Amino acid sequence: MSETRTTTLLVIGGGPGGYVAAIRAGQLGVSTIVVEGQQPGGTCLNIGCIPSKALIHAAQEYERAREYAGASPLGISVQAPAIDIGKTVAWKDGIVARLTGGVEALLKKNGVQLVRGWARVLDGKTVEVDTGQGSQRIQCEHLLLAAGSEPMPLPSMPFAGRVISSTEALSPASIPGRLVVVGGGYIGLELGTVYRKLGAEVTVVEAQERILPTYDAELTKPVAAALARMGVQLCLGRKVLGMNAAGDAVRVQDASGAETALPADQVLLAIGRRPRTQGWGLENLQLDRAGNALRIDDQCRTSMRNVWAIGDIAGEPMLAHRAMAQGEMVAELVAGQRRRFAPAAIPAVCFTDPEIVTAGLAPQQAQAAGLDCVTAAFPFAANGRAMTLESTDGFVRVVARRDNHLVVGWQAVGRGVSELAAAFSQSLEMGARLEDVGGTIHAHPTLGEAVQEAALRALGHALHI
Protein backbone atom coordinates (compact mmCIF):
# COMPACT_ATOMS: atom_id res chain seq x y z
CA MET A 1 0.00 0.00 0.00
CA SER A 2 1.27 3.48 -0.86
CA GLU A 3 1.84 6.23 1.66
CA THR A 4 -1.26 7.72 3.22
CA ARG A 5 -2.38 11.03 1.70
CA THR A 6 -4.03 13.79 3.70
CA THR A 7 -6.47 16.53 2.75
CA THR A 8 -8.89 18.95 4.37
CA LEU A 9 -11.92 17.89 2.30
CA LEU A 10 -12.41 14.46 0.80
CA VAL A 11 -15.36 14.06 -1.57
CA ILE A 12 -16.65 10.58 -2.42
CA GLY A 13 -18.37 10.86 -5.79
CA GLY A 14 -17.64 13.18 -8.70
CA GLY A 15 -21.24 13.77 -9.76
CA PRO A 16 -22.96 17.19 -9.93
CA GLY A 17 -22.93 17.64 -6.16
CA GLY A 18 -19.45 16.28 -5.59
CA TYR A 19 -17.63 18.09 -8.37
CA VAL A 20 -19.36 21.42 -7.64
CA ALA A 21 -18.43 21.09 -3.96
CA ALA A 22 -14.84 20.35 -4.93
CA ILE A 23 -14.57 23.24 -7.39
CA ARG A 24 -16.02 25.71 -4.89
CA ALA A 25 -13.73 24.39 -2.14
CA GLY A 26 -10.77 24.80 -4.48
CA GLN A 27 -11.81 28.38 -5.22
CA LEU A 28 -11.83 29.05 -1.47
CA GLY A 29 -8.36 27.60 -0.97
CA VAL A 30 -9.47 24.40 0.74
CA SER A 31 -7.24 21.37 0.09
CA THR A 32 -9.60 18.94 -1.69
CA ILE A 33 -9.53 15.42 -3.14
CA VAL A 34 -12.35 13.86 -5.16
CA VAL A 35 -12.61 10.08 -5.50
CA GLU A 36 -14.57 8.91 -8.56
CA GLY A 37 -14.73 5.36 -9.90
CA GLN A 38 -15.88 6.31 -13.38
CA GLN A 39 -15.95 9.54 -15.37
CA PRO A 40 -16.52 12.86 -13.56
CA GLY A 41 -20.08 14.10 -13.85
CA GLY A 42 -21.83 11.16 -12.21
CA THR A 43 -25.14 9.70 -13.30
CA CYS A 44 -26.50 13.03 -14.55
CA LEU A 45 -23.72 13.78 -16.99
CA ASN A 46 -22.80 10.25 -18.07
CA ILE A 47 -25.94 8.11 -17.97
CA GLY A 48 -28.78 10.45 -17.01
CA CYS A 49 -29.75 14.07 -17.59
CA ILE A 50 -27.44 15.00 -20.45
CA PRO A 51 -27.48 11.84 -22.62
CA SER A 52 -31.24 11.45 -22.19
CA LYS A 53 -31.86 15.02 -23.34
CA ALA A 54 -29.56 14.43 -26.31
CA LEU A 55 -31.61 11.39 -27.36
CA ILE A 56 -34.86 13.27 -26.72
CA HIS A 57 -33.66 15.96 -29.13
CA ALA A 58 -32.55 13.44 -31.76
CA ALA A 59 -35.85 11.57 -31.53
CA GLN A 60 -37.78 14.84 -31.86
CA GLU A 61 -35.83 15.83 -34.98
CA TYR A 62 -36.39 12.40 -36.52
CA GLU A 63 -40.11 12.56 -35.77
CA ARG A 64 -40.33 15.97 -37.45
CA ALA A 65 -38.53 14.65 -40.52
CA ARG A 66 -41.02 11.80 -40.72
CA GLU A 67 -43.91 14.25 -40.42
CA TYR A 68 -42.48 16.29 -43.30
CA ALA A 69 -42.45 13.13 -45.41
CA GLY A 70 -46.23 13.41 -45.36
CA ALA A 71 -48.45 16.47 -45.70
CA SER A 72 -47.07 19.42 -43.74
CA PRO A 73 -49.04 22.65 -43.30
CA LEU A 74 -45.68 24.46 -43.35
CA GLY A 75 -45.17 23.48 -46.97
CA ILE A 76 -42.09 21.37 -46.15
CA SER A 77 -41.63 18.01 -47.82
CA VAL A 78 -38.77 15.50 -47.63
CA GLN A 79 -38.07 12.04 -48.94
CA ALA A 80 -38.51 9.09 -46.58
CA PRO A 81 -36.12 9.81 -43.68
CA ALA A 82 -33.93 7.22 -41.98
CA ILE A 83 -31.88 7.17 -38.81
CA ASP A 84 -28.52 5.56 -38.11
CA ILE A 85 -28.84 4.86 -34.39
CA GLY A 86 -25.12 4.11 -34.13
CA LYS A 87 -24.27 7.62 -35.30
CA THR A 88 -26.91 9.07 -32.99
CA VAL A 89 -25.39 7.31 -29.98
CA ALA A 90 -21.91 8.40 -31.05
CA TRP A 91 -23.10 12.02 -31.26
CA LYS A 92 -24.61 11.71 -27.77
CA ASP A 93 -21.40 10.17 -26.43
CA GLY A 94 -19.40 13.03 -27.95
CA ILE A 95 -21.42 15.57 -25.98
CA VAL A 96 -20.90 13.57 -22.79
CA ALA A 97 -17.16 13.29 -23.44
CA ARG A 98 -16.80 17.04 -23.95
CA LEU A 99 -18.66 17.80 -20.76
CA THR A 100 -16.86 15.24 -18.60
CA GLY A 101 -13.56 16.52 -19.97
CA GLY A 102 -14.65 20.02 -19.04
CA VAL A 103 -15.42 18.98 -15.48
CA GLU A 104 -12.01 17.36 -15.15
CA ALA A 105 -10.35 20.51 -16.48
CA LEU A 106 -12.26 22.69 -13.99
CA LEU A 107 -11.19 20.47 -11.10
CA LYS A 108 -7.57 20.77 -12.18
CA LYS A 109 -7.87 24.53 -12.72
CA ASN A 110 -9.03 24.98 -9.15
CA GLY A 111 -6.34 22.80 -7.60
CA VAL A 112 -8.57 19.80 -6.85
CA GLN A 113 -6.94 16.37 -6.98
CA LEU A 114 -8.99 13.72 -8.80
CA VAL A 115 -8.35 10.15 -7.70
CA ARG A 116 -9.85 7.57 -10.05
CA GLY A 117 -10.95 4.54 -8.11
CA TRP A 118 -13.54 3.00 -5.84
CA ALA A 119 -13.65 4.26 -2.27
CA ARG A 120 -14.29 2.22 0.85
CA VAL A 121 -14.98 4.10 4.06
CA LEU A 122 -12.95 2.87 7.02
CA ASP A 123 -14.03 5.56 9.49
CA GLY A 124 -15.15 9.19 9.52
CA LYS A 125 -11.63 10.38 8.70
CA THR A 126 -10.18 7.58 6.57
CA VAL A 127 -11.00 6.13 3.17
CA GLU A 128 -9.26 3.40 1.21
CA VAL A 129 -9.35 3.67 -2.57
CA ASP A 130 -8.97 0.78 -5.02
CA THR A 131 -7.48 2.38 -8.12
CA GLY A 132 -7.29 -0.83 -10.12
CA GLN A 133 -3.51 -0.64 -9.86
CA GLY A 134 -3.32 -0.99 -6.13
CA SER A 135 -4.84 0.85 -3.22
CA GLN A 136 -4.15 4.08 -1.40
CA ARG A 137 -5.38 5.48 1.86
CA ILE A 138 -6.65 9.03 2.24
CA GLN A 139 -7.19 10.80 5.55
CA CYS A 140 -9.27 13.96 5.82
CA GLU A 141 -10.64 16.52 8.21
CA HIS A 142 -14.02 16.69 6.45
CA LEU A 143 -15.67 13.81 4.59
CA LEU A 144 -18.35 14.63 2.02
CA LEU A 145 -20.54 11.74 0.86
CA ALA A 146 -21.89 12.32 -2.65
CA ALA A 147 -22.27 8.77 -3.92
CA GLY A 148 -25.55 9.38 -5.75
CA SER A 149 -28.20 6.80 -6.55
CA GLU A 150 -28.83 3.71 -8.66
CA PRO A 151 -31.78 2.23 -10.58
CA MET A 152 -34.21 0.42 -8.33
CA PRO A 153 -34.65 -3.29 -9.14
CA LEU A 154 -37.89 -5.23 -9.07
CA PRO A 155 -37.67 -8.58 -7.22
CA SER A 156 -39.84 -10.30 -9.82
CA MET A 157 -37.86 -8.82 -12.71
CA PRO A 158 -34.09 -8.51 -12.18
CA PHE A 159 -31.89 -6.62 -14.62
CA ALA A 160 -30.77 -9.32 -17.05
CA GLY A 161 -31.30 -10.37 -20.66
CA ARG A 162 -34.14 -8.37 -22.16
CA VAL A 163 -34.69 -6.40 -18.96
CA ILE A 164 -32.59 -3.23 -18.98
CA SER A 165 -32.21 -0.08 -16.91
CA SER A 166 -32.07 3.50 -18.12
CA THR A 167 -28.29 3.11 -18.43
CA GLU A 168 -28.55 0.56 -21.23
CA ALA A 169 -31.55 2.33 -22.76
CA LEU A 170 -29.38 5.39 -23.39
CA SER A 171 -26.94 3.49 -25.61
CA PRO A 172 -29.06 1.25 -27.86
CA ALA A 173 -27.36 -0.79 -30.54
CA SER A 174 -30.73 -1.01 -32.29
CA ILE A 175 -34.34 -0.05 -31.70
CA PRO A 176 -36.51 -2.94 -30.48
CA GLY A 177 -39.73 -3.69 -32.31
CA ARG A 178 -41.70 -3.84 -29.07
CA LEU A 179 -40.64 -2.10 -25.87
CA VAL A 180 -42.46 -2.48 -22.56
CA VAL A 181 -41.69 0.26 -20.06
CA VAL A 182 -42.31 -0.67 -16.42
CA GLY A 183 -42.95 2.58 -14.57
CA GLY A 184 -44.95 5.61 -15.67
CA GLY A 185 -42.78 8.19 -13.93
CA TYR A 186 -40.58 10.75 -15.65
CA ILE A 187 -37.71 8.38 -16.50
CA GLY A 188 -39.96 5.77 -18.07
CA LEU A 189 -42.01 8.31 -20.03
CA GLU A 190 -39.03 10.32 -21.26
CA LEU A 191 -37.26 7.25 -22.61
CA GLY A 192 -40.47 5.56 -23.73
CA THR A 193 -41.27 8.63 -25.83
CA VAL A 194 -37.78 8.54 -27.36
CA TYR A 195 -38.14 4.91 -28.40
CA ARG A 196 -41.65 5.50 -29.78
CA LYS A 197 -40.44 8.40 -31.92
CA LEU A 198 -37.58 6.21 -33.15
CA GLY A 199 -40.05 3.58 -34.34
CA ALA A 200 -40.64 1.13 -31.50
CA GLU A 201 -44.08 0.00 -30.40
CA VAL A 202 -44.19 1.15 -26.78
CA THR A 203 -46.38 0.03 -23.89
CA VAL A 204 -46.09 1.69 -20.47
CA VAL A 205 -47.16 -0.24 -17.36
CA GLU A 206 -47.87 1.82 -14.24
CA ALA A 207 -49.16 0.56 -10.87
CA GLN A 208 -51.06 3.80 -10.18
CA GLU A 209 -54.21 4.82 -12.01
CA ARG A 210 -52.46 7.56 -14.00
CA ILE A 211 -49.07 8.44 -15.39
CA LEU A 212 -46.67 10.76 -13.54
CA PRO A 213 -48.49 10.20 -10.23
CA THR A 214 -46.23 12.66 -8.35
CA TYR A 215 -47.59 15.53 -10.49
CA ASP A 216 -51.14 16.83 -10.21
CA ALA A 217 -53.64 15.50 -12.71
CA GLU A 218 -54.19 18.76 -14.63
CA LEU A 219 -50.51 18.87 -15.58
CA THR A 220 -50.43 15.28 -16.80
CA LYS A 221 -53.52 15.43 -19.03
CA PRO A 222 -51.74 17.05 -22.02
CA VAL A 223 -48.92 14.50 -21.68
CA ALA A 224 -51.36 11.59 -21.66
CA ALA A 225 -53.13 13.03 -24.72
CA ALA A 226 -49.81 13.39 -26.57
CA LEU A 227 -48.83 9.82 -25.74
CA ALA A 228 -52.16 8.61 -27.15
CA ARG A 229 -51.56 10.56 -30.38
CA MET A 230 -48.10 9.00 -30.65
CA GLY A 231 -49.56 5.54 -30.26
CA VAL A 232 -48.03 4.75 -26.87
CA GLN A 233 -50.19 2.21 -25.07
CA LEU A 234 -50.83 2.84 -21.37
CA CYS A 235 -51.61 -0.03 -18.96
CA LEU A 236 -52.55 1.76 -15.76
CA GLY A 237 -53.42 0.26 -12.38
CA ARG A 238 -51.45 -2.88 -13.29
CA LYS A 239 -49.06 -4.94 -11.18
CA VAL A 240 -46.04 -6.47 -12.88
CA LEU A 241 -45.59 -10.16 -12.04
CA GLY A 242 -42.42 -10.77 -14.05
CA MET A 243 -41.53 -12.30 -17.40
CA ASN A 244 -43.38 -15.27 -18.86
CA ALA A 245 -41.75 -18.71 -19.09
CA ALA A 246 -40.49 -18.05 -22.62
CA GLY A 247 -38.98 -14.74 -21.57
CA ASP A 248 -40.60 -12.80 -24.40
CA ALA A 249 -43.55 -11.15 -22.61
CA VAL A 250 -44.27 -9.23 -19.40
CA ARG A 251 -46.95 -10.67 -17.13
CA VAL A 252 -49.23 -8.03 -15.65
CA GLN A 253 -52.22 -8.25 -13.35
CA ASP A 254 -55.13 -5.83 -13.01
CA ALA A 255 -57.09 -4.94 -9.86
CA SER A 256 -59.51 -7.84 -10.39
CA GLY A 257 -56.65 -10.33 -10.49
CA ALA A 258 -56.90 -10.99 -14.22
CA GLU A 259 -53.51 -11.64 -15.81
CA THR A 260 -52.35 -10.71 -19.30
CA ALA A 261 -49.04 -10.94 -21.14
CA LEU A 262 -47.48 -8.00 -23.02
CA PRO A 263 -45.12 -9.15 -25.80
CA ALA A 264 -41.70 -7.52 -25.46
CA ASP A 265 -38.46 -7.59 -27.38
CA GLN A 266 -37.02 -5.43 -24.63
CA VAL A 267 -38.20 -4.28 -21.20
CA LEU A 268 -37.15 -0.97 -19.65
CA LEU A 269 -37.44 -1.18 -15.88
CA ALA A 270 -37.86 2.37 -14.61
CA ILE A 271 -39.65 2.23 -11.27
CA GLY A 272 -37.36 4.75 -9.60
CA ARG A 273 -33.94 5.19 -8.06
CA ARG A 274 -32.53 4.51 -4.59
CA PRO A 275 -29.61 6.05 -2.68
CA ARG A 276 -26.33 4.21 -3.30
CA THR A 277 -25.53 3.17 0.24
CA GLN A 278 -24.33 -0.42 -0.17
CA GLY A 279 -20.96 -1.93 -1.02
CA TRP A 280 -18.51 0.81 -0.03
CA GLY A 281 -18.27 0.64 3.76
CA LEU A 282 -20.84 3.29 4.63
CA GLU A 283 -22.17 1.01 7.36
CA ASN A 284 -18.91 1.56 9.27
CA LEU A 285 -20.05 5.09 10.11
CA GLN A 286 -23.42 4.02 11.56
CA LEU A 287 -25.02 7.26 10.41
CA ASP A 288 -28.66 8.09 11.14
CA ARG A 289 -31.01 7.23 8.27
CA ALA A 290 -34.21 8.65 6.88
CA GLY A 291 -35.56 5.54 5.20
CA ASN A 292 -32.96 4.38 2.70
CA ALA A 293 -31.29 7.80 2.63
CA LEU A 294 -28.89 9.48 5.04
CA ARG A 295 -30.47 11.91 7.48
CA ILE A 296 -29.07 15.45 7.18
CA ASP A 297 -29.80 18.84 8.71
CA ASP A 298 -30.17 22.20 6.96
CA GLN A 299 -26.40 22.39 6.52
CA CYS A 300 -26.13 18.85 5.07
CA ARG A 301 -24.44 17.57 8.22
CA THR A 302 -24.94 13.90 9.07
CA SER A 303 -25.10 12.53 12.61
CA MET A 304 -21.28 12.31 12.69
CA ARG A 305 -19.18 15.42 13.18
CA ASN A 306 -17.51 16.69 9.98
CA VAL A 307 -19.22 14.05 7.84
CA TRP A 308 -21.53 15.63 5.29
CA ALA A 309 -23.97 14.21 2.70
CA ILE A 310 -25.46 15.81 -0.40
CA GLY A 311 -27.54 14.87 -3.41
CA ASP A 312 -29.36 11.62 -4.02
CA ILE A 313 -27.75 9.79 -1.10
CA ALA A 314 -29.54 12.29 1.14
CA GLY A 315 -32.95 11.46 -0.34
CA GLU A 316 -35.60 13.34 -2.27
CA PRO A 317 -35.80 15.34 -4.38
CA MET A 318 -33.16 13.50 -6.38
CA LEU A 319 -32.26 16.39 -8.65
CA ALA A 320 -28.82 17.38 -9.94
CA HIS A 321 -29.39 21.08 -9.29
CA ARG A 322 -30.30 20.37 -5.66
CA ALA A 323 -27.04 18.45 -5.25
CA MET A 324 -25.07 21.27 -6.87
CA ALA A 325 -26.54 23.88 -4.52
CA GLN A 326 -25.88 21.66 -1.51
CA GLY A 327 -22.31 21.00 -2.64
CA GLU A 328 -21.56 24.69 -3.01
CA MET A 329 -22.92 25.34 0.47
CA VAL A 330 -20.91 22.56 2.13
CA ALA A 331 -17.70 23.83 0.54
CA GLU A 332 -18.36 27.29 1.96
CA LEU A 333 -19.15 25.86 5.40
CA VAL A 334 -15.89 23.89 5.38
CA ALA A 335 -14.11 27.13 4.45
CA GLY A 336 -15.56 28.82 7.54
CA GLN A 337 -18.48 30.70 6.03
CA ARG A 338 -22.00 30.75 7.49
CA ARG A 339 -24.65 29.10 5.32
CA ARG A 340 -27.75 26.94 5.51
CA PHE A 341 -29.81 25.20 2.86
CA ALA A 342 -33.22 26.83 2.80
CA PRO A 343 -34.27 27.50 -0.81
CA ALA A 344 -37.69 29.00 -1.38
CA ALA A 345 -38.24 26.35 -4.05
CA ILE A 346 -36.41 23.67 -6.01
CA PRO A 347 -37.76 23.48 -9.57
CA ALA A 348 -38.43 20.13 -11.22
CA VAL A 349 -38.73 19.43 -14.94
CA CYS A 350 -40.14 16.41 -16.71
CA PHE A 351 -38.82 16.30 -20.29
CA THR A 352 -41.77 14.51 -21.82
CA ASP A 353 -43.45 15.89 -24.94
CA PRO A 354 -44.96 18.24 -23.86
CA GLU A 355 -42.67 19.15 -20.98
CA ILE A 356 -43.76 19.79 -17.39
CA VAL A 357 -42.11 22.23 -15.00
CA THR A 358 -43.02 22.93 -11.39
CA ALA A 359 -41.67 25.20 -8.67
CA GLY A 360 -43.13 25.81 -5.25
CA LEU A 361 -46.60 24.71 -4.21
CA ALA A 362 -49.32 23.23 -6.41
CA PRO A 363 -52.91 24.26 -5.57
CA GLN A 364 -53.55 21.08 -3.57
CA GLN A 365 -50.29 21.48 -1.65
CA ALA A 366 -51.09 25.08 -0.77
CA GLN A 367 -54.49 24.02 0.50
CA ALA A 368 -52.96 21.20 2.55
CA ALA A 369 -50.56 23.74 4.06
CA GLY A 370 -53.53 25.79 5.25
CA LEU A 371 -53.01 28.66 2.80
CA ASP A 372 -55.94 30.52 1.29
CA CYS A 373 -54.76 30.91 -2.31
CA VAL A 374 -55.95 32.15 -5.66
CA THR A 375 -55.03 30.05 -8.70
CA ALA A 376 -55.07 31.09 -12.34
CA ALA A 377 -53.92 29.48 -15.57
CA PHE A 378 -53.22 30.95 -18.99
CA PRO A 379 -53.50 28.53 -21.96
CA PHE A 380 -50.89 28.36 -24.69
CA ALA A 381 -53.78 28.23 -27.16
CA ALA A 382 -53.95 32.01 -26.63
CA ASN A 383 -50.19 32.56 -26.96
CA GLY A 384 -48.89 33.72 -30.34
CA ARG A 385 -45.44 32.17 -29.97
CA ALA A 386 -46.95 28.78 -29.13
CA MET A 387 -49.01 28.99 -32.32
CA THR A 388 -45.93 29.65 -34.43
CA LEU A 389 -44.26 26.61 -32.83
CA GLU A 390 -47.28 24.43 -33.72
CA SER A 391 -47.67 23.58 -30.04
CA THR A 392 -50.67 25.11 -28.33
CA ASP A 393 -51.43 22.34 -25.83
CA GLY A 394 -50.78 23.21 -22.21
CA PHE A 395 -50.78 26.22 -19.93
CA VAL A 396 -48.94 28.24 -17.28
CA ARG A 397 -50.48 28.28 -13.80
CA VAL A 398 -49.73 30.49 -10.81
CA VAL A 399 -50.64 29.94 -7.16
CA ALA A 400 -50.61 32.98 -4.86
CA ARG A 401 -51.86 33.91 -1.41
CA ARG A 402 -55.22 35.63 -1.55
CA ASP A 403 -54.46 38.15 1.20
CA ASN A 404 -51.17 39.67 0.01
CA HIS A 405 -50.78 38.15 -3.49
CA LEU A 406 -47.42 36.53 -2.58
CA VAL A 407 -46.62 33.94 -5.25
CA VAL A 408 -46.12 30.50 -3.67
CA GLY A 409 -46.05 28.25 -6.72
CA TRP A 410 -45.80 27.93 -10.49
CA GLN A 411 -46.61 25.06 -12.84
CA ALA A 412 -46.54 24.76 -16.61
CA VAL A 413 -47.03 22.10 -19.24
CA GLY A 414 -46.20 22.60 -22.90
CA ARG A 415 -43.43 22.36 -25.48
CA GLY A 416 -40.30 24.17 -24.30
CA VAL A 417 -41.62 25.16 -20.87
CA SER A 418 -38.49 23.83 -19.17
CA GLU A 419 -36.90 27.18 -20.02
CA LEU A 420 -39.46 28.92 -17.78
CA ALA A 421 -38.02 27.19 -14.70
CA ALA A 422 -35.53 29.99 -14.00
CA ALA A 423 -38.23 32.67 -14.01
CA PHE A 424 -40.43 30.56 -11.74
CA SER A 425 -37.68 29.92 -9.19
CA GLN A 426 -36.41 33.47 -9.23
CA SER A 427 -39.84 34.96 -8.55
CA LEU A 428 -40.31 32.60 -5.60
CA GLU A 429 -36.84 33.21 -4.20
CA MET A 430 -37.26 36.98 -4.40
CA GLY A 431 -40.73 36.95 -2.81
CA ALA A 432 -42.54 38.31 -5.86
CA ARG A 433 -46.21 39.17 -5.75
CA LEU A 434 -48.72 38.92 -8.56
CA GLU A 435 -48.41 42.64 -9.21
CA ASP A 436 -44.60 42.27 -9.62
CA VAL A 437 -44.96 39.61 -12.30
CA GLY A 438 -47.98 41.16 -13.98
CA GLY A 439 -46.30 44.55 -14.10
CA THR A 440 -43.05 43.27 -15.60
CA ILE A 441 -42.82 43.83 -19.35
CA HIS A 442 -42.34 40.45 -21.04
CA ALA A 443 -40.86 40.23 -24.54
CA HIS A 444 -43.27 39.55 -27.37
CA PRO A 445 -43.73 37.05 -28.90
CA THR A 446 -42.47 34.53 -26.34
CA LEU A 447 -43.85 31.66 -24.31
CA GLY A 448 -42.90 33.71 -21.25
CA GLU A 449 -45.81 36.05 -21.93
CA ALA A 450 -48.03 33.30 -20.56
CA VAL A 451 -46.31 33.79 -17.19
CA GLN A 452 -47.31 37.47 -17.12
CA GLU A 453 -50.81 36.66 -18.36
CA ALA A 454 -51.30 34.01 -15.66
CA ALA A 455 -50.42 36.59 -13.01
CA LEU A 456 -52.75 39.14 -14.61
CA ARG A 457 -55.52 36.60 -14.75
CA ALA A 458 -55.08 35.88 -11.04
CA LEU A 459 -55.51 39.63 -10.50
CA GLY A 460 -58.68 39.55 -12.57
CA HIS A 461 -57.55 41.31 -15.73
CA ALA A 462 -55.72 39.04 -18.18
CA LEU A 463 -55.43 40.83 -21.51
CA HIS A 464 -55.57 38.04 -24.08
CA ILE A 465 -58.25 35.72 -22.82
Side-chain angles (χ1 to χ4, degrees), residues 116 125 128 427 451:
R116 294 185 180 277
K125 299 288 186 184
E128 191 170 275
S427 70
V451 177

Side-chain angles (χ1 to χ4, degrees), residues 97-460:
R98 290 196 297 276
L99 289 173
T100 56
V103 170
E104 194 166 349
L106 287 170
L107 292 171
K108 184 177 181 180
K109 173 186 175 183
N110 289 283
V112 177
Q113 299 177 64
L114 175 62
V115 176
R116 294 185 180 277
W118 298 99
R120 181 168 183 80
V121 176
L122 302 182
D123 57 45
K125 299 288 186 184
T126 314
V127 169
E128 191 170 275
V129 182
D130 179 2
T131 65
Q133 300 176 337
S135 63
Q136 56 180 271
R137 186 165 291 192
I138 305 175
Q139 290 188 329
C140 61
E141 182 180 343
H142 295 268
L143 178 61
L144 175 54
L145 308 175
S149 61
E150 60 191 1
M152 193 179 300
L154 191 63
S156 63
M157 186 178 285
F159 294 116
R162 299 188 186 203
V163 182
I164 63 172
S165 71
S166 57
T167 301
E168 294 78 29
L170 289 169
S171 296
S174 60
I175 301 301
R178 298 169 299 185
L179 175 71
V180 173
V181 179
V182 179
Y186 76 94
I187 296 175
L189 291 187
E190 286 182 6
L191 292 176
T193 298
V194 166
Y195 274 70
R196 177 59 189 147
K197 290 181 178 180
L198 294 177
E201 295 181 11
V202 176
T203 302
V204 176
V205 183
E206 167 57 45
Q208 302 298 315
E209 292 299 328
R210 62 182 181 87
I211 59 170
L212 299 170
T214 60
Y215 292 87
D216 73 68
E218 288 302 309
L219 289 173
T220 64
K221 285 179 181 177
V223 178
L227 291 171
R229 289 194 299 270
M230 278 186 270
V232 174
Q233 301 298 313
L234 299 179
C235 291
L236 305 178
R238 303 291 202 280
K239 178 181 179 181
V240 172
L241 303 177
M243 301 296 289
N244 66 350
D248 59 3
V250 178
R251 296 168 51 224
V252 298
Q253 186 180 65
D254 64 19
S256 68
E259 182 180 325
T260 56
L262 304 174
D265 299 307
Q266 203 163 62
V267 180
L268 170 58
L269 183 56
I271 60 172
R273 299 183 66 85
R274 64 184 181 186
R276 187 178 282 113
T277 58
Q278 302 296 318
W280 50 283
L282 185 60
E283 63 277 4
N284 293 331
L285 301 184
Q286 298 184 349
L287 301 175
D288 290 349
R289 301 289 182 102
N292 291 326
L294 298 181
R295 185 182 299 279
I296 58 173
D297 65 9
D298 64 358
Q299 291 183 315
C300 293
R301 299 178 186 271
T302 68
S303 55
M304 180 177 286
R305 183 175 180 272
N306 287 351
V307 176
W308 317 73
I310 61 175
D312 291 4
I313 199 173
E316 297 288 350
M318 292 186 179
L319 298 169
H321 42 282
R322 168 185 178 247
M324 290 176 176
Q326 289 175 325
E328 182 182 7
M329 178 194 70
V330 169
E332 293 177 357
L333 287 168
V334 170
Q337 298 184 18
R338 298 181 65 180
R339 287 284 309 276
R340 68 187 184 96
F341 190 73
I346 301 176
V349 180
C350 180
F351 287 89
T352 44
D353 184 8
E355 298 170 349
I356 296 176
V357 59
T358 65
L361 301 177
Q364 301 90 331
Q365 293 171 324
Q367 184 178 19
L371 298 178
D372 181 19
C373 288
V374 58
T375 299
F378 187 83
F380 282 120
N383 177 271
R385 180 57 175 156
M387 293 179 188
T388 67
L389 293 173
E390 300 182 284
S391 181
T392 55
D393 290 343
F395 56 86
V396 173
R397 185 174 66 194
V398 64
V399 183
R401 290 180 50 154
R402 193 180 303 276
D403 56 357
N404 60 9
H405 295 173
L406 180 70
V407 177
V408 298
W410 290 100
Q411 300 85 42
V413 56
R415 181 166 293 178
V417 296
S418 58
E419 297 303 328
L420 300 179
F424 290 172
S425 298
Q426 189 174 48
S427 70
L428 293 167
E429 198 67 46
M430 297 184 72
R433 286 169 166 73
L434 292 172
E435 289 83 357
D436 297 320
V437 180
T440 298
I441 297 175
H442 288 61
H444 174 76
T446 63
L447 296 180
E449 288 178 278
V451 177
Q452 180 185 24
E453 290 276 10
L456 291 175
R457 194 173 192 188
L459 291 169

Side-chain angles (χ1 to χ4, degrees), residues 49-65 83 88 91-92 95 170 190-191 193-194 197-198 351-353 355:
C49 317
I50 299 300
S52 66
K53 303 314 166 285
L55 288 189
I56 286 171
H57 173 68
Q60 178 67 37
E61 294 300 298
Y62 180 53
E63 182 190 46
R64 286 178 179 172
I83 188 166
T88 304
W91 169 76
K92 177 264 298 181
I95 293 173
L170 289 169
E190 286 182 6
L191 292 176
T193 298
V194 166
K197 290 181 178 180
L198 294 177
F351 287 89
T352 44
D353 184 8
E355 298 170 349

